[in-house]
């Protein structure tokens, strides 16, 4: 190999490494705290309980006009307090009743972004959490049955390079907190 070819190959490797995502590139960004008053907190609670509530109904709940509520909600969205308004699905009704939580320990030489990208290629993945402690990450999967669980554990996760240890924890049920904002942020009417 000529000196020029060796330099070009080395530069190509450096460029590939520089363009690879880091773990920080993959994490959801944190949003700086926003000053929220009592009305903002009430709007957030009501939207959390029913994201499809109309601006007019919200206004009646907090004692404001619909346009004023619209401006406040738009500000909450602009500042990142509200990321999106969405629905909550019943996974069982959608044919995916099994929630499997899998703590994952990766090998010392594994690149976490590469492991995450490999996990993202598995269609049943719903979430990856990066952890401190014994495990490096926690992955959640929604599955239809035990056959799909077997495939996940034996075929799909087995094919992900860099996994040192995985465990499968099957959720036996869920106890939903119907009003987490009430006690976490002390939001009351």
């Amino acid at each position: 190999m000529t000196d020029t070819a060796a330099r070009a190959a080395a530069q190509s490797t450096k460029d590939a490494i520089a363009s690879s995502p880091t773990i920080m590139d993959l994490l959801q960004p944190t949003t700086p705290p926003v000053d929220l008053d009592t009305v903002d907190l009430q709007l957030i609670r009501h939207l959390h309980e029913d994201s499809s509530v109309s601006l007019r109904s919200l206004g009646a709940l907090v004692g404001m006009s619909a346009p004023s509520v619209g401006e406040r909600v738009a500000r909450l969205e602009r500042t990142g307090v509200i990321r999106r308004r969405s629905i909550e699905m019943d996974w069982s009704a959608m044919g995916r009743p099994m929630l499997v939580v899998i703590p994952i320990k990766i090998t010392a030489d594994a690149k976490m972004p590469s492991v995450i990208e490999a996990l993202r290629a598995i269609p049943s993945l719903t979430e990856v959490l990066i952890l401190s402690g014994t495990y490096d990450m926690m992955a959640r999967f929604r599955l239809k049955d035990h056959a799909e669980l077997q495939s996940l554990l034996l075929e799909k996760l087995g094919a992900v390079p860099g996994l040192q240890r995985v465990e499968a924890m099957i959720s036996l049920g869920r106890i939903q907190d119907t009003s987490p904002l009430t006690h976490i942020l002390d939001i009351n009417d």
Side-chain angles (χ1 to χ4, degrees):
M1 184 183 295
T2 67
D3 194 38
T4 304
R7 279 196 301 270
Q11 185 60 46
S12 176
T13 301
K14 285 180 186 176
D15 291 345
I17 291 170
S19 67
S20 313
T22 67
I23 190 62
M24 295 305 291
D25 294 331
L26 298 174
L27 293 176
Q28 287 183 352
T30 57
T31 304
V34 176
D35 287 329
L36 303 172
D37 63 18
T38 305
V39 173
D40 291 331
L41 294 173
Q42 289 175 356
L43 290 171
I44 292 166
R45 183 175 64 85
H46 291 299
L47 285 169
H48 182 264
E49 291 170 358
D50 179 6
S51 64
S52 67
V53 65
S54 70
L55 294 178
R56 183 182 306 206
S57 295
L58 273 175
L61 290 167
V62 299
M64 295 178 69
S65 69
S68 296
V69 167
E71 289 174 21
R72 282 198 179 234
V73 170
R75 181 181 59 80
L76 292 169
E77 290 172 339
R78 229 181 10 262
T79 57
V81 173
I82 296 174
R83 289 189 178 166
R84 69 174 175 253
R85 294 185 244 172
S86 63
I87 60 170
E88 183 175 341
M89 299 173 296
D90 182 335
W91 286 99
S92 294
M94 296 177 58
R96 301 241 168 228
M98 187 182 293
L99 170 62
V100 179
V101 180
I102 299 186
I104 298 170
K105 177 102 177 121
I106 63 174
T107 60
D109 62 336
K111 303 285 186 241
M112 193 174 284
S114 299
V115 172
I116 292 169
E117 289 306 315
L119 291 172
R120 282 181 165 170
I122 301 171
S124 55
L125 178 78
T126 62
E127 181 178 35
V128 175
L129 302 170
I130 306 303
L131 305 174
S132 64
T134 305
Y135 290 96
D136 300 304
M137 61 183 75
M138 182 90 61
R140 293 170 156 231
F141 297 89
R142 276 292 178 173
L143 307 173
K144 57 185 172 189
D145 55 27
H146 282 87
E148 191 173 10
L149 175 61
Q150 284 178 318
S151 172
L152 173 68
L153 295 173
L154 300 175
E155 297 169 3
K156 294 179 177 138
L157 290 177
V160 175
L163 299 189
Q164 179 179 343
R165 180 178 178 191
V166 299
E167 292 181 24
M169 297 184 283
I170 299 170
S171 170
L172 299 177
R174 179 177 178 214
I175 301 169
Q176 184 170 343
D177 186 344
T178 57
S179 57
L181 295 178
T182 301
H183 60 85
I184 293 172
L185 297 178
D186 195 26
I187 300 174
N188 296 305
D189 279 336

